[in-house]
Amino acid sequence: MRDINPSPRKVFAPIILYLTTAIIALVLMVVALVIWVAEILGSGSLSALTIGAVFLLLAAIVYFASARKSIEYIRDRLDTIYDVAYAARRGYRATIDILRSFYSNLFSE
């Protein structure tokens, strides 16, 4: 029978390994693209600048198309978590103050 609840190491290790190899492959592909464009243009600096500008433009498009909405959603969630934690802390402090005053009134008489 299959293990229903595998350990976190068995779950995350393959994902981390996959992401690491995928990132290395993407970096090597970009380097190969820069070298190929450098051969066409005859300048490594201009090639790196051109490819960098293309990726910067691509990053801006991704940000404005989808990442900005996700970032705003996460920011709203974090604001909610902060508000709840702040209210809980204030409630805790108020409860402690009430208990202290009750305790001090109980034993001061």
Side-chain angles (χ1 to χ4, degrees), residues 56-91:
L56 184 63
L57 179 64
L58 181 64
I61 290 170
V62 168
Y63 173 76
F64 287 115
S66 63
R68 185 174 54 167
K69 293 174 189 172
S70 297
I71 292 170
E72 288 175 4
Y73 175 79
I74 291 170
R75 185 180 301 135
D76 289 341
R77 294 290 116 202
L78 289 175
D79 286 343
T80 301
I81 291 169
Y82 174 78
D83 291 341
V84 169
Y86 182 72
R89 186 175 64 193
R90 287 187 64 200

Side-chain angles (χ1 to χ4, degrees), residues 13-83:
I15 294 171
I16 292 170
L17 183 61
Y18 165 74
L19 289 174
T20 303
T21 56
I23 289 170
I24 291 170
L26 286 172
V27 168
L28 288 173
M29 288 178 64
V30 170
V31 169
L33 179 64
V34 169
I35 292 170
W36 178 63
V37 172
E39 289 177 359
I40 292 173
L41 295 177
S43 171
S45 302
L46 186 59
S47 170
L49 183 64
T50 303
I51 300 301
V54 168
F55 275 99
L56 184 63
L57 179 64
L58 181 64
I61 290 170
V62 168
Y63 173 76
F64 287 115
S66 63
R68 185 174 54 167
K69 293 174 189 172
S70 297
I71 292 170
E72 288 175 4
Y73 175 79
I74 291 170
R75 185 180 301 135
D76 289 341
R77 294 290 116 202
L78 289 175
D79 286 343
T80 301
I81 291 169
Y82 174 78
D83 291 341

Side-chain angles (χ1 to χ4, degrees), residues 85-108:
Y86 182 72
R89 186 175 64 193
R90 287 187 64 200
Y92 171 77
R93 286 184 180 168
T95 303
I96 293 298
D97 290 341
I98 290 170
L99 290 175
R100 280 185 185 155
S101 67
F102 176 74
Y103 181 75
S104 66
N105 287 338
L106 184 66
F107 289 108
S108 66

